[in-house]
């Protein structure tokens, strides 16, 4: 499939950072008929009480064959665990699914967020860009991006962490499907990527983002070129 043959690209952000993370990458695909930046509940001023899981399942259930869904971090993990995944005909690209932290635990992150919100957020932001030579520069850029956009409420962020802590990974597997690809940053200091790499045994397409941290969107070239190449081969 060529990129210009897509009807729509749907971008879904992850935990902590809102839909603004996609604004630059959205411009990499000017030939697509339309694109949508999804803001999950809790990530914009007019948020409803609807659960993020329901929004994600609804997107999977309503997307068509000529659509593409690109999801990041928490939402990428939620898609992998969704009962709607194998019913979805859209092409799906998941970037750094956040199933399990590389170090520490989700419970510790949750407790730190309750005790000291600002410092915990800043520490997490640094972990997201840590892993290459531009970490300090990108930390400032990502911190400024976070604080100049809508900041999710603490309760909303904690609720998502509670959900992540209860992900049942004991029988984690995904049926092989041609139109699902996982992009993994090889310098990710946030996610434990071992569990994702087990999917290679299921012939799942898993491609590396070289020299890239958990938050890979300050260097869009490799992501955009990888997506373009995948579509040309499909």
């Amino acid at each position: 499939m060529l990129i210009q043959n897509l009807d729509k690209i749907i971008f879904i952000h992850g935990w902590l950072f809102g839909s603004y993370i996609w604004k630059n990458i959205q411009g990499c695909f000017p030939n697509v008929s339309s694109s949508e930046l999804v803001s999950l509940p809790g990530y914009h001023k007019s948020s409803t009480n609807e659960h993020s899981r329901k929004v994600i399942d609804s997107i999977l259930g309503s997307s068509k064959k000529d659509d593409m869904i690109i999801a990041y971090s928490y939402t990428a993990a939620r898609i992998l665990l969704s009962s709607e995944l194998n019913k979805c005909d859209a092409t799906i690209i998941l970037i750094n699914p956040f199933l399990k932290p590389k170090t520490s635990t989700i419970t510790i992150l949750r407790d730190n967020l309750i005790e000291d919100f600002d410092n915990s957020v800043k520490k997490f932001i640094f972990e997201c860009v840590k892993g290459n030579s531009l970490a300090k520069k990108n930390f400032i850029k990502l911190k400024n991006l976070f604080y100049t956009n809508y900041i999710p409420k603490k309760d909303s962020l904690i609720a998502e962490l509670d959900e992540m802590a209860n992900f049942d990974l004991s029988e984690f597997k995904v049926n092989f499907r041609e139109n699902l690809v996982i992009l993994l940053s090889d310098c990710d200091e946030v996610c434990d990527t071992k569990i994702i790499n087990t999917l290679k045994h299921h012939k799942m397409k898993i491609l590396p983002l070289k020299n890239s941290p958990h938050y890979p969107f300050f260097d869009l070239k490799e992501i955009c070129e990888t997506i373009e190449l995948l579509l040309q081969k499909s």
Side-chain angles (χ1 to χ4, degrees), residues 11 15 36 38 70 90-91 149 155 166 179 190 199 209 212 216:
F11 298 91
W15 185 78
E36 178 184 357
V38 175
I70 303 179
T91 297
N149 283 279
D155 289 348
N166 290 316
N179 60 346
V190 172
L199 292 176
L209 294 173
S212 183

Side-chain angles (χ1 to χ4, degrees), residues 197-208:
N197 280 317
T198 63
L199 292 176
K200 289 180 180 177
H201 299 300
H202 298 272
K203 299 182 180 180
M204 188 65 63
K205 289 181 184 176
I206 302 176
L207 302 177

Side-chain angles (χ1 to χ4, degrees), residues 145-205:
L145 191 62
F146 174 75
Y147 282 105
T148 55
N149 283 279
Y150 181 80
I151 298 175
K153 305 298 183 189
K154 183 193 295 187
D155 289 348
S156 176
L157 293 172
I158 289 170
E160 288 182 341
L161 289 176
D162 287 340
E163 181 187 6
M164 283 186 259
N166 290 316
F167 281 168
D168 183 5
L169 307 180
S170 60
E171 298 182 358
F172 175 62
K173 64 179 181 179
V174 178
N175 293 332
F176 172 75
R177 44 182 291 162
E178 283 284 349
N179 60 346
L180 189 151
V181 180
I182 298 173
L183 304 184
L184 284 184
S185 294
D186 63 2
C187 296
D188 194 327
E189 294 293 327
V190 172
C191 293
D192 181 353
T193 57
K194 293 177 184 177
I195 191 166
I196 298 297
N197 280 317
T198 63
L199 292 176
K200 289 180 180 177
H201 299 300
H202 298 272
K203 299 182 180 180
M204 188 65 63
K205 289 181 184 176

Side-chain angles (χ1 to χ4, degrees), residues 51-188:
H51 197 286
S52 293
R53 182 179 65 252
K54 291 185 178 180
V55 175
I56 295 164
D57 286 350
S58 176
I59 291 170
L60 291 173
S62 61
S63 296
K64 300 176 182 178
K65 185 176 181 180
D66 291 332
D67 293 340
M68 175 186 282
I69 298 169
I70 303 179
Y72 170 62
S73 194
Y74 157 72
T75 304
R78 171 46 65 197
I79 286 175
L80 279 175
L81 297 171
S82 174
S83 60
E84 297 296 316
L85 175 59
N86 290 323
K87 305 173 189 175
C88 182
D89 291 327
T91 297
I92 300 174
I93 295 179
L94 305 178
I95 303 172
N96 297 332
F98 186 22
L99 287 164
K100 182 180 177 184
K102 183 174 182 178
T103 60
S104 187
T105 66
I106 288 176
T107 302
I108 291 175
L109 175 58
R110 178 191 186 279
D111 292 344
N112 289 342
L113 204 67
I114 293 171
E115 184 177 339
D116 190 338
F117 183 83
D118 274 340
N119 280 331
S120 296
V121 164
K122 289 172 185 175
K123 183 178 178 181
F124 184 79
I125 290 173
F126 184 71
E127 292 293 320
C128 285
V129 297
K130 185 179 173 184
N132 65 26
S133 59
L134 297 175
K136 290 184 178 179
K137 178 181 177 181
N138 286 340
F139 167 68
I140 294 171
K141 289 168 67 176
L142 186 53
K143 183 182 69 171
N144 290 341
L145 191 62
F146 174 75
Y147 282 105
T148 55
N149 283 279
Y150 181 80
I151 298 175
K153 305 298 183 189
K154 183 193 295 187
D155 289 348
S156 176
L157 293 172
I158 289 170
E160 288 182 341
L161 289 176
D162 287 340
E163 181 187 6
M164 283 186 259
N166 290 316
F167 281 168
D168 183 5
L169 307 180
S170 60
E171 298 182 358
F172 175 62
K173 64 179 181 179
V174 178
N175 293 332
F176 172 75
R177 44 182 291 162
E178 283 284 349
N179 60 346
L180 189 151
V181 180
I182 298 173
L183 304 184
L184 284 184
S185 294
D186 63 2
C187 296
D188 194 327

